[in-house]
Amino acid sequence: MRTLGIIGFGGFGQFMVKYLQPYISITVHDLTDLSHVASENKVEWGTLKETASKDIVILAVPVQFLEPLLIDIKEHLKADALVVDVSSVKVKPIDLMLKHLPASVDILGTHPLFGPQSGKHGVKGLNMVVCPVRSKRTRSIIHFLSQVLQLNVLERTPDTHDKQMAYVQALTHFIGRSINEMDIPDVEQKTPAYQYLLDIKRNLGGDSMELFLTIELENPYAKRVREEFMDALKSLNDRLEKIKR
């Protein structure tokens, strides 16, 4: 497979390019005209139709916008194309791809558990979840990810992925967003534990609201975990107030 189309050329789409560019010819597309950014990254800028007609098509858009995109591109996909999503949740996007994409198209769900911030010093050893759906090329893709890019590949079902990510991401981002909105100060009089909170603020505070909404609202298990956390906070505070009295 010689050509790759990336639909969605935001922060993560641009981040992917430098790791994939040495191995395949890349065309990118976004609703926003980012042709100048594509030129700076030495990749081709294409129309939606042109980008969707490549051998491999990576969908790097928020889950909220995935369904209309799938409807728009399904007529432009090659019969033997491999369509890959990189969403932070897996049940919903995979269901949507199975619903809208033609049976002749291979489908693979993925979730890189890193981004431009956490991967700024390289991606070697970082975790990458793969959810096999419908593809003859799954083994080849996993080999490329693990042996060439040297990622730690974890095979999961979509449901298992989302259940675990409700804690790993939804809870973490909920706490991180709260700390960021509190704007906790960096002070000299701090402990290692407080530095961890500052690190969470720094690492997650710059994430987009679209990513936050995807993680919190599109994962079917996230609400329950948030409610467990809020109940635990209230219970702990109530115990303190009771002791104080």
Side-chain angles (χ1 to χ4, degrees), residues 147-161:
Q147 301 303 313
V148 179
L149 297 185
Q150 295 186 291
L151 294 165
N152 182 37
V153 178
L154 307 170
E155 287 191 61
R156 298 290 186 268
T157 66
D159 196 62
T160 296
H161 170 277

Side-chain angles (χ1 to χ4, degrees), residues 15 18-19 114-115 118-126 149 151:
F15 174 71
K18 67 177 180 179
Y19 293 101
F114 53 87
S118 53
K120 64 183 178 181
H121 299 304
V123 299
K124 181 180 178 180
L126 298 181
L149 297 185
L151 294 165

